[in-house]
Every structure is written in C-alpha cells, then in structure tokens.
Amino acid sequence: MSSSIGNRDDVAPAAGEIDPDYPIDPVPQHARKSLFSLAIVLLGFTFFTPTMLAGAQIGAAFEVGSLIWVLLLGSAVLGVYVAAIGGIGARTGLTTVMMCRYSLGTSGAKLASLLLGGTQVGWYGVTVATLAGLTASALDWTGRGVEIALMIAGGAVMGITAYYGYKGMYALSIVSVPLLLVLAGWVTWRSLDEVGGWSGLTAIVPTETMTIAAAVTIVVGTFASGGTQAPNWTRFARTPSAGFWACVVAFLVGELLMLGFGAIGAISFGEGDFVLVLYQLGLVGWGLVFLVANLWTTNDNTAYNFGVAGAEIANSRSKKPFVIGGVVLGTLLAITGIYDNLIEYLVWLGILIPPLGGVVIGDFLARWRGGMPAASGLPSVEWRNLGAYVVAAVAAWWSNEAGWFIPPVVGVVVAVVAVLAVQRGRRPVAEPVG
C-alpha cells in the first residue's frame, strides 16, 4: 500500500470553494503547521477552569506526595490516548468525524458527527452561562437582563475565533496561553506562601476520601471527549510525530499543570474555584481577565468542533455556517436555562465518546496503516466496527455503574480490541489512493 492520503497534495477535491481549514478534505502539505503552533492551540484548549476545579476536588482527598503521582497517572493516561489518535489525525490529515467515515461508513459516520457535534453545542452553552454568571458576580451586576446580555455578548465573541478557524484560534492562544501560565504560576506561588511553603503544604491533612481509580477517572474525564477530537487540529501537523508530541504537551503536560495549579490553590485557600482565589487576593480585574481568556480559548475550540461535525453531516466544504448555527443554538441553551438539564447528559461524554476514538485507533491499526482508500469506495455502514463501538460503550457504562476501573479507558481499550478482532485478516474495501 502507498502512503496516507493525508500526506498528498494531489488528491482531487470535490467541486466548490475549499475552506482553508479543510473540514472534509485532507489537509495538504502546504497548509501544515509547526509543532509549536499546534502545541499553543491545543494548550489553549486544555487550559480550562473546570480542569482546575477537578484538581481542587482531588487535592482535598490526598496528601501532597500521593497527589502528585495521582495527577501524573491520570494525565499520562489521558495524554497517551489523545496522542495516539492525534498522531493518526496528523498522518491522515482528516478530522475525527471524517476518519469515522472510514471506520463506520459514510452513513455510520453521521452518528459520530451528531454525537460529537451535538454534545459540543451543549458544552458551548454551559461555558457561555458560566462566563456570564461569574462576570456578573465579579462586577456586582444583578438582574436577568444583564445576565442575558452577557450571555449573548460572550457567545458571539467566543465564536469569532472559531469562525476564522485555525488562524483565529492560534492568534488568540499565542496571547492568552502565556498570560494564563503567568497568572496561574503567580497564584500558585502566593498559595505556597500562604501555607508556609512546601513544608507547610505537605503538612496539610486531607479532608476528603477518594480512591485512586476515582481520581484518575476524574482526570481522564475532564478531556476524554475533547481529546477524542484532537485530530481536528493535529491534522495540520507536518509529521505524525509532531501531532503526537503536540498532544503530549497539551494533554499530559498542560493538563497536569492545570490540575496542579487548581489543587494547590484549593489546598492553600480552601477555595476550589481558581477565579475566586484571584478575587480573594483582591485581583478582581485580573480574575476577569483569567476567566475570559481561559474560557474563550476552550470554547472557540468547542465551536470549531461542532463546525467541522456539521460540515461532515452536510458534506460541505465550509464549516462557517455550522459554527454560526452552533453558536446561536448554544447561546440559546444558555439563555433558556436548558443547560441546567444538560449536565447529567454531559456526564455521559466519558462513556459514549472515547469508544469512538478507540474504534478509529483499532481500525487504523487493523486496516489503514498502509494508506487510506478513496472515499468513493467506502461502504454506507461498516457494521462490524459499529457493533464494536456499541460493545465498548456498554462496557464503559458498566464500568461506571459498577465503579470499576476507569470508564473512558475501558471504553477505548474494549473498542480497540474488538475492532482488531472483527477486522483481523480483512483487507480495505478499496485500494489506497496513490
């Protein structure tokens, strides 16, 4: 078999103007980005306030020595999984939902697009509501009208960089990521000073209890869904190794830093919300800067995700109409309060979405390592892999219900093994392009 379709510039595109973000096409070599560029964009994605809240929750249950190892283990599990699928995205040049066309079939991939895109719209609404609520609280603004106005403004602004695609997200992240690191690092230093340095921190006794498995599940769950869509950015990598290492930097190192900053701030100040820690230090202005930059760099990635998912469903060369539509819908969810009812549903992300990534990884290992076939030769539904996904999702659900091991990891591992089993010895449905 020949080289991957994502490494070729001569693949004939379909008719119509091509979006510079190539939502349904392999990214050509001339549009590929550097490792630094990818790492910055992905760090902007993983620098997320709820991740710090997760670190605070875990930090209350472990002594500092054990806490470090637990956070490292959870970040390593997440980082390895995301790096694996991110490397495949770099090799193929395709988004996650487009790779699902190869794994689930042209019609079967619609399930993945609806699941990935739909849940991202929900997350967009949750984040818009969070931003509006904390901003109103910080500025002591009251009234439902004010909150709605903040939701509309926040929803529109956060969608702008996603509308302009990779270029817009990179421009935002190159400014916000260093700022977030400086602010978080400074507060962590103040936190250590608050408790008498490292020795004082290590002397603090945990106030909660939690198993290591539960702690790792929380860490992995913070970005199990978002990480599954890492190929949406790593497909721009110049080499598969660049895509792999960009994910390691963002989802292992970046995730570990956010968890650590959140845990140390919470242990020292008794406050799990990092933004409120800034408020306690009298830094309301900087707290707002941190909040806006933190949520914006993640939510524009969220909007980008549902943009490319919509493009796959409609087989559209442009993601922009779907970015706009998703932003409007997500903002409406925030305004109407429906997002309150989505939280329990969003918990299912760690059960339903990682198995999709496992199917892609398993299918790539089983059939596509030598190259991707022409899209015209794909079946409508790849029933074997769809069955493997269902089995993996059920296994992840059972793991969650039984409290056994880490549900997202169970889903990924079962999916990979199941696909390798059902696809063993089967050749691709069509010869690779080239």
Side-chain angles (χ1 to χ4, degrees):
M1 291 184 179
S2 62
S3 62
S4 165
I5 191 173
N7 292 330
R8 298 176 52 89
D9 286 339
D10 60 341
V11 178
E17 182 182 353
I18 298 179
D19 187 313
D21 283 274
Y22 305 94
I24 63 171
D25 297 288
V27 177
Q29 284 297 326
H30 69 80
R32 301 294 179 114
K33 312 295 182 181
S34 67
L35 172 58
F36 174 81
S37 173
L38 288 166
I40 287 293
V41 171
L42 286 173
L43 280 171
F45 188 34
T46 57
F47 282 10
F48 193 34
T49 298
T51 301
M52 304 177 85
L53 292 173
Q57 181 182 356
I58 297 169
F62 294 91
E63 295 180 350
V64 172
S66 300
L67 174 65
I68 293 173
W69 287 107
V70 169
L71 296 183
L72 182 60
L73 175 60
S75 299
V77 171
L78 178 66
V80 168
Y81 161 62
V82 177
I85 193 169
I88 294 173
R91 184 169 178 180
T92 64
L94 299 171
T95 64
T96 300
V97 290
M98 288 304 295
M99 288 195 293
C100 284
R101 284 191 179 183
Y102 290 85
S103 296
L104 299 177
T106 54
S107 296
K110 307 305 179 188
L111 168 66
S113 295
L114 287 171
L115 183 60
L116 293 172
T119 53
Q120 292 294 287
V121 171
W123 266 121
Y124 195 88
V126 170
T127 305
V128 165
T130 301
L131 175 64
L134 287 175
T135 300
S137 175
L139 299 175
D140 199 25
W141 292 348
T142 58
R144 180 60 178 167
V146 170
E147 192 171 355
I148 290 175
L150 287 172
M151 289 180 186
I152 294 173
V157 169
M158 287 190 286
I160 290 174
T161 45
Y163 181 85
Y164 285 104
Y166 188 100
K167 183 183 297 186
M169 292 186 291
Y170 176 75
L172 175 64
S173 296
I174 198 68
V175 174
S176 62
V177 166
L179 175 63
L180 293 173
L181 281 173
V182 169
L183 277 173
W186 183 80
V187 172
T188 301
W189 175 78
R190 285 290 303 271
S191 299
L192 289 172
D193 185 60
E194 181 78 12
V195 296
W198 186 258
S199 60
L201 189 69
T202 56
I204 295 176
V205 178
T207 57
E208 305 289 340
T209 58
M210 182 184 299
T211 65
I212 292 177
V216 173
T217 298
I218 290 173
V219 174
V220 175
T222 58
F223 267 98
S225 172
T228 300
Q229 300 182 76
N232 293 354
W233 301 278
T234 62
R235 63 200 173 97
F236 287 94
R238 289 172 182 161
T239 64
S241 62
F244 179 92
W245 288 110
C247 289
V248 169
V249 169
F251 289 89
L252 196 164
V253 179
E255 176 85 356
L256 183 61
L257 285 174
M258 288 296 102
L259 290 165
F261 290 151
I264 293 174
I267 292 171
S268 302
F269 288 97
E271 174 56 65
D273 192 320
F274 191 82
V275 176
L276 296 182
V277 170
L278 284 168
Y279 292 172
Q280 284 187 23
L281 292 170
L283 301 172
V284 175
W286 282 112
L288 278 176
V289 169
F290 183 91
L291 174 67
V292 172
N294 187 282
L295 296 181
W296 189 354
T297 56
T298 298
N299 227 26
D300 65 349
N301 283 263
T302 301
Y304 187 83
N305 284 337
F306 57 66
V308 298
E312 190 283 323
I313 292 175
N315 201 34
S316 169
R317 274 276 150 77
S318 177
K319 70 187 181 307
K320 292 180 179 179
F322 307 99
V323 170
I324 295 172
V327 166
V328 171
L329 180 56
T331 303
L332 286 175
L333 290 175
I335 292 172
T336 59
I338 294 178
Y339 66 87
D340 290 328
N341 301 317
L342 288 175
I343 300 301
E344 184 177 352
Y345 171 66
L346 293 173
V347 171
W348 282 77
L349 291 178
I351 293 174
L352 296 176
I353 291 182
L356 282 174
V359 168
V360 170
I361 293 171
D363 202 40
F364 181 83
L365 293 175
R367 299 194 292 164
W368 311 126
R369 281 181 295 176
M372 309 296 282
S376 59
L378 297 176
S380 176
V381 179
E382 179 55 63
W383 292 105
R384 292 175 178 82
N385 288 348
L386 187 61
Y389 166 75
V390 172
V391 169
V394 170
W397 171 82
W398 172 84
S399 173
N400 182 67
E401 291 294 305
W404 182 82
F405 202 54
I406 307 163
V409 175
V410 170
V412 170
V413 172
V414 171
V416 171
V417 172
V419 171
L420 288 174
V422 299
Q423 297 291 2
R424 185 174 59 180
R426 295 187 73 236
R427 291 184 61 81
V429 294
E431 287 302 311
V433 173

